[in-house]
């Protein structure tokens, strides 16, 4: 529709007034409809425990207890499942002992027997985890030390002695080890397992020479035949470039003499690495 400026302005004004009047009527109509009663929304609580305070002398509330138990579980896991420095181990040992002491004192102050039993049950469970972790760590350290002593004897070990040495290395790394060497070993000297992983190990003690890809091809057949997830080929010598490329494309890990030393040092933990001695020592 054609219109001049005054007419268009008047039409636009009438349209705006009509819209305002319609909106007011809609609002009035809506006001007549009773709205259901609702409660004001509340913010959800994500954390129910209070952060653990290592410097606090005691635990006074249930929230502080929850925070302490949460701190304890993580501290125990980190202390006995991770590679740590000497300072980190000392710090975690200290905080674990302090937290256990506070939990025990908190349980003793509870008035109900049911409450004390519940808290002490969790306390004893964590205390048992600490004891088992210490015993396991000490056992692995002793195995690693025995393997470390044999490193200097690698040049004089028999093939059987080398196999025993490799078994001790994997045990010190936390693997369950089964020796299966012999005429019916099917190319596997050891069967090992850890955290659901099944693997076979072949130990080759050579005074000279290198390991090529043909031997790894035979070993790959052993890995598949035993339905293992992985194979470890361990030797005192080195591997050819073709062997390294073959292993990179298949579930085989190559371990030579220098890598064996690294594994022993990893098993013994941080601080076990020795600086190379001068040639004249």
């Amino acid at each position: 529709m054609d219109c001049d400026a005054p007419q268009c302005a008047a039409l636009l004004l009438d349209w705006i007034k009509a819209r305002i009047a319609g909106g007011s009527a809609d609002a009035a109509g809506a006001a007549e409809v009773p709205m259901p009663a609702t409660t004001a929304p509340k913010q959800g609580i994500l954390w129910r425990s209070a952060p653990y305070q290592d410097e606090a002398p005691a635990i006074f509330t249930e929230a502080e207890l929850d925070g302490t138990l949460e701190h304890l579980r993580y501290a125990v896991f980190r202390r006995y499942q991770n590679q740590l420095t000497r300072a980190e181990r000392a710090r975690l040992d200290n905080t674990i002992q302090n937290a256990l002491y506070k939990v025990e004192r908190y349980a003793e102050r509870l008035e109900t027997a049911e409450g004390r039993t519940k808290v002490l049950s969790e306390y004893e469970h964590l205390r048992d985890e600490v004891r088992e972790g210490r015993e396991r760590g000490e056992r692995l350290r002793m195995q690693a030390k025995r393997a470390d002593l044999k490193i200097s004897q690698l040049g004089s070990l028999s093939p059987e002695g080398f196999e025993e040495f490799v078994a001790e290395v994997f045990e010190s790394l936390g693997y369950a080890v089964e020796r299966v060497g012999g005429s019916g070993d099917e190319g596997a000297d050891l069967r090992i397992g850890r955290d659901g992983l099944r693997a076979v190990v072949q130990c080759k003690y050579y005074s000279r020479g290198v390991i090529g890809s043909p031997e790894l091809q035979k070993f790959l057949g052993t890995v598949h035949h035993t339905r293992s997830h992985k194979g470890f080929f361990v030797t005192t010598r080195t591997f050819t470039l073709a062997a390294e490329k073959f292993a990179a494309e298949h579930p085989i890990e190559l371990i030579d003499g220098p890598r064996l030393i690294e594994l022993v040092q990893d098993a013994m933990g941080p601080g076990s690495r020795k600086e190379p001695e001068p040639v004249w020592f």
Side-chain angles (χ1 to χ4, degrees):
M1 179 180 65
D2 296 333
C3 64
D4 55 18
Q7 289 176 332
C8 288
L11 290 172
L12 179 61
L13 181 61
D14 292 341
W15 180 82
I16 292 174
K17 289 179 179 179
R19 294 291 296 175
I20 293 174
S24 300
D26 292 342
E32 295 175 359
V33 179
M35 297 296 291
T38 58
T39 58
K42 296 182 180 180
Q43 183 176 359
I45 299 175
L46 181 60
W47 305 111
R48 297 185 180 276
S49 60
Y52 174 70
Q53 302 294 330
D54 203 20
E55 66 277 5
I59 302 171
F60 297 101
T61 67
E62 187 174 351
E64 290 179 352
L65 173 67
D66 291 340
T68 302
L69 292 175
E70 183 179 345
H71 170 80
L72 258 174
R73 295 185 193 103
Y74 176 70
V76 171
F77 167 80
R78 178 165 171 75
R79 173 62 179 86
Y80 298 108
Q81 302 296 330
N82 291 266
Q83 291 286 339
L84 305 172
T85 64
R86 186 187 302 272
E88 288 173 327
R89 292 198 299 270
R91 179 179 60 80
L92 284 171
D93 285 338
N94 193 42
T95 190
I96 288 172
Q97 291 304 315
N98 286 341
L100 285 173
Y101 173 82
K102 294 175 187 178
V103 171
E104 187 179 20
R105 296 287 85 79
Y106 177 86
E108 292 175 352
R109 294 197 304 271
L110 291 176
E111 296 179 356
T112 64
E114 182 180 358
R116 284 194 300 272
T117 301
K118 181 179 179 181
V119 175
L120 286 176
S121 175
E122 182 70 18
Y123 162 81
E124 291 172 359
H125 174 72
L126 288 168
R127 187 186 58 186
D128 291 342
E129 282 193 19
V130 172
R131 185 183 67 253
E132 291 171 3
R134 285 176 178 170
E135 293 175 352
R136 182 173 61 253
E138 184 61 27
R139 183 174 65 256
L140 295 179
R141 278 192 296 272
M142 292 301 296
Q143 291 171 337
K145 286 181 179 180
R146 288 198 301 269
D148 186 47
L149 291 174
K150 288 186 178 180
I151 286 179
S152 60
Q153 305 170 356
L154 279 179
S156 59
L157 288 178
S158 65
E160 293 76 16
F162 180 65
E163 183 179 311
E164 180 182 353
F165 164 70
V166 173
E168 289 183 351
V169 171
F170 278 104
E171 285 178 349
S172 66
L173 291 170
Y175 288 90
V177 178
E178 177 189 0
R179 297 186 63 179
V180 292
S183 58
D185 62 4
E186 300 176 335
D189 298 310
L190 307 172
R191 289 194 182 98
I192 64 175
R194 186 179 69 180
D195 300 331
L197 171 73
R198 297 191 310 274
V200 289
V201 182
Q202 188 170 99
C203 308
K204 289 296 183 182
Y205 183 84
Y206 292 137
S207 58
R208 63 185 65 185
V210 293
I211 304 296
S213 59
E215 294 191 64
L216 295 186
Q217 292 172 11
K218 294 179 182 178
F219 182 53
L220 180 62
T222 300
V223 175
H224 293 321
H225 180 72
T226 57
R227 297 184 178 181
S228 300
H229 299 110
K230 187 176 182 179
F232 294 88
F233 199 104
V234 187
T235 181
T236 51
R237 304 306 299 170
T238 58
F239 299 92
T240 64
L241 181 59
E244 292 177 352
K245 289 182 177 179
F246 182 84
E249 297 172 354
H250 298 89
I252 297 177
E253 183 172 339
L254 306 180
I255 301 177
D256 56 10
R259 177 60 180 149
L260 263 179
I261 296 175
E262 291 180 356
L263 291 177
V264 172
Q265 291 171 338
D266 289 342
M268 294 179 69
S272 65
R273 297 183 181 271
K274 304 181 180 70
E275 294 296 326
E277 296 180 344
V279 296
W280 57 83
F281 274 29

